[in-house]
Protein backbone atom coordinates (compact mmCIF):
# COMPACT_ATOMS: atom_id res chain seq x y z
CA UNK A 1 0.00 0.00 0.00
CA UNK A 2 1.67 3.17 -1.12
CA UNK A 3 0.66 6.50 0.30
CA UNK A 4 -2.93 7.18 -0.64
CA UNK A 5 -3.80 3.59 -1.61
CA UNK A 6 -6.42 2.05 0.67
CA UNK A 7 -6.66 -1.48 2.06
CA UNK A 8 -10.01 -2.88 3.25
CA UNK A 9 -10.74 -5.76 5.61
CA UNK A 10 -14.22 -7.20 6.36
CA UNK A 11 -15.33 -7.66 9.98
CA UNK A 12 -18.52 -9.18 11.36
CA UNK A 13 -19.74 -7.87 14.73
CA UNK A 14 -20.10 -10.66 17.32
CA UNK A 15 -21.57 -10.74 20.86
CA UNK A 16 -18.10 -10.34 22.33
CA UNK A 17 -17.72 -7.02 20.49
CA UNK A 18 -20.81 -5.40 22.02
CA UNK A 19 -21.50 -3.74 25.35
CA UNK A 20 -24.55 -3.86 27.62
CA UNK A 21 -26.33 -1.45 25.26
CA UNK A 22 -25.95 -3.85 22.34
CA UNK A 23 -23.53 -1.68 20.38
CA UNK A 24 -19.86 -2.16 19.61
CA UNK A 25 -17.83 -1.19 22.67
CA UNK A 26 -15.77 1.87 21.75
CA UNK A 27 -12.37 0.27 22.50
CA UNK A 28 -13.11 -2.60 20.14
CA UNK A 29 -12.62 -0.31 17.16
CA UNK A 30 -8.94 -0.26 18.14
CA UNK A 31 -8.96 -4.07 17.88
CA UNK A 32 -10.64 -3.90 14.48
CA UNK A 33 -8.05 -1.35 13.32
CA UNK A 34 -5.19 -3.54 14.61
CA UNK A 35 -6.49 -6.57 12.74
CA UNK A 36 -6.85 -4.59 9.53
CA UNK A 37 -3.27 -3.28 9.86
CA UNK A 38 -1.99 -6.81 10.44
CA UNK A 39 -3.87 -8.12 7.41
CA UNK A 40 -2.65 -5.18 5.32
CA UNK A 41 0.96 -6.03 6.20
CA UNK A 42 0.28 -9.71 5.51
CA UNK A 43 -1.14 -8.79 2.08
CA UNK A 44 2.19 -7.10 1.35
CA UNK A 45 4.14 -10.21 2.36
CA UNK A 46 5.19 -8.77 5.74
CA UNK A 47 4.58 -11.26 8.53
CA UNK A 48 5.22 -9.55 11.85
CA UNK A 49 6.52 -12.57 13.79
CA UNK A 50 8.94 -13.50 11.01
CA UNK A 51 9.99 -9.87 10.63
CA UNK A 52 10.78 -9.63 14.33
CA UNK A 53 12.78 -12.85 14.23
CA UNK A 54 14.76 -11.84 11.13
CA UNK A 55 15.33 -8.14 11.88
CA UNK A 56 15.18 -7.89 15.66
CA UNK A 57 12.66 -5.08 15.38
CA UNK A 58 8.91 -4.59 15.39
CA UNK A 59 6.15 -2.06 14.91
CA UNK A 60 4.44 -0.57 17.98
CA UNK A 61 1.58 1.89 18.31
CA UNK A 62 2.79 5.23 19.62
CA UNK A 63 -0.42 7.23 19.42
CA UNK A 64 -4.05 6.81 18.45
CA UNK A 65 -6.80 9.37 17.99
CA UNK A 66 -10.31 8.20 17.13
CA UNK A 67 -13.57 9.90 16.29
CA UNK A 68 -16.82 7.98 16.66
CA UNK A 69 -19.71 8.82 14.35
CA UNK A 70 -22.35 6.06 14.54
CA UNK A 71 -22.66 2.78 16.42
CA UNK A 72 -22.28 -0.68 14.93
CA UNK A 73 -24.49 -3.45 16.31
CA UNK A 74 -24.54 -7.22 16.66
CA UNK A 75 -24.29 -9.06 13.31
CA UNK A 76 -23.42 -5.90 11.37
CA UNK A 77 -20.95 -6.39 8.55
CA UNK A 78 -18.34 -3.66 8.52
CA UNK A 79 -15.26 -2.86 6.47
CA UNK A 80 -12.16 -1.54 8.18
CA UNK A 81 -9.73 0.39 6.02
CA UNK A 82 -6.13 1.47 6.35
CA UNK A 83 -4.20 4.02 4.32
CA UNK A 84 -0.73 5.43 4.84
CA UNK A 85 -0.96 9.16 5.48
CA UNK A 86 2.72 9.71 6.32
CA UNK A 87 5.77 7.50 5.94
CA UNK A 88 9.08 8.28 7.59
CA UNK A 89 12.31 6.40 8.31
CA UNK A 90 11.25 5.32 11.82
CA UNK A 91 7.48 5.68 11.87
CA UNK A 92 4.33 5.94 9.83
CA UNK A 93 0.88 7.39 10.32
CA UNK A 94 -2.14 5.44 9.14
CA UNK A 95 -5.61 6.79 8.60
CA UNK A 96 -8.18 4.13 9.36
CA UNK A 97 -11.94 3.98 9.07
CA UNK A 98 -14.72 1.55 9.95
CA UNK A 99 -17.69 1.54 7.58
CA UNK A 100 -21.08 -0.10 7.98
CA UNK A 101 -21.77 -2.18 4.88
CA UNK A 102 -25.19 -2.51 3.28
CA UNK A 103 -25.20 -5.30 0.69
CA UNK A 104 -21.45 -4.95 0.29
CA UNK A 105 -21.50 -1.17 -0.19
CA UNK A 106 -20.20 1.38 2.28
CA UNK A 107 -23.33 2.86 3.83
CA UNK A 108 -22.21 4.84 6.90
CA UNK A 109 -18.92 5.93 8.44
CA UNK A 110 -18.82 4.52 11.97
CA UNK A 111 -15.39 5.45 13.28
CA UNK A 112 -12.17 6.98 11.97
CA UNK A 113 -8.74 7.40 13.41
CA UNK A 114 -5.11 8.31 12.94
CA UNK A 115 -2.67 5.77 14.30
CA UNK A 116 1.06 6.52 14.61
CA UNK A 117 3.21 3.41 14.42
CA UNK A 118 6.90 3.39 15.26
CA UNK A 119 9.65 0.88 14.69
CA UNK A 120 11.58 -0.26 17.76
CA UNK A 121 14.35 -2.67 18.66
CA UNK A 122 12.34 -5.62 19.99
CA UNK A 123 14.68 -6.35 22.90
CA UNK A 124 15.48 -2.87 24.17
CA UNK A 125 12.18 -1.30 23.04
CA UNK A 126 14.08 1.74 21.79
CA UNK A 127 13.22 3.59 18.58
CA UNK A 128 15.07 2.46 15.47
CA UNK A 129 14.85 2.91 11.72
CA UNK A 130 12.46 0.80 9.71
CA UNK A 131 14.53 -1.68 7.67
CA UNK A 132 15.03 -0.51 4.07
CA UNK A 133 13.41 -3.63 2.55
CA UNK A 134 10.26 -2.95 4.60
CA UNK A 135 10.24 0.72 3.56
CA UNK A 136 10.53 -0.38 -0.07
CA UNK A 137 7.46 -2.57 0.30
CA UNK A 138 5.49 0.17 2.07
CA UNK A 139 6.42 2.80 -0.53
CA UNK A 140 7.70 1.14 -3.72
Amino acid sequence: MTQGKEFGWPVRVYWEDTDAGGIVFYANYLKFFERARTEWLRSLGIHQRELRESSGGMFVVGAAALDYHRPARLDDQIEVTARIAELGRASLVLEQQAWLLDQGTRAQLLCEGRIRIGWVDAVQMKPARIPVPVLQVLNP
Side-chain angles (χ1 to χ4, degrees):
M1 177 172 67
T2 58
Q3 287 176 283
K5 188 174 177 188
E6 186 177 81
F7 173 84
W9 184 252
V11 174
R12 173 76 63 190
V13 175
Y14 297 112
W15 279 113
E16 67 184 21
D17 301 319
T18 62
D19 62 15
I23 61 173
V24 171
F25 182 62
Y26 74 95
N28 285 337
Y29 287 98
L30 289 167
K31 292 180 181 183
F32 298 159
F33 287 177
E34 176 72 28
R35 291 175 192 159
R37 287 193 308 275
T38 298
E39 294 302 330
W40 157 64
L41 288 171
R42 207 172 265 150
S43 78
L44 296 173
I46 300 172
H47 301 271
Q48 294 186 77
R49 182 172 35 96
E50 293 171 9
L51 183 59
R52 180 180 175 177
E53 291 169 0
S54 66
S55 70
M58 63 184 190
F59 287 112
V60 296
V61 173
L66 277 66
D67 292 313
Y68 301 94
H69 301 286
R70 299 179 91 43
R73 293 179 167 77
L74 179 66
D75 289 330
D76 280 349
Q77 181 71 34
I78 64 177
E79 180 182 25
V80 180
T81 65
R83 184 184 70 77
I84 293 176
E86 300 171 26
L87 179 61
R89 294 277 305 150
S91 68
L92 61 146
V93 174
L94 288 154
E95 291 177 342
Q96 294 196 256
Q97 297 178 325
W99 289 88
L100 178 65
L101 296 179
D102 182 13
Q103 299 183 17
T105 302
R106 293 179 185 174
Q108 294 178 331
L109 179 61
L110 303 171
C111 179
E112 60 187 331
R114 285 180 62 90
I115 315 295
R116 186 175 50 80
I117 309 227
W119 183 262
V120 298
D121 175 284
V123 174
Q124 297 178 359
M125 297 304 288
K126 291 186 178 179
R129 291 184 173 217
I130 300 169
V132 171
V134 174
L135 283 174
Q136 290 172 338
V137 170
L138 296 177
N139 193 24

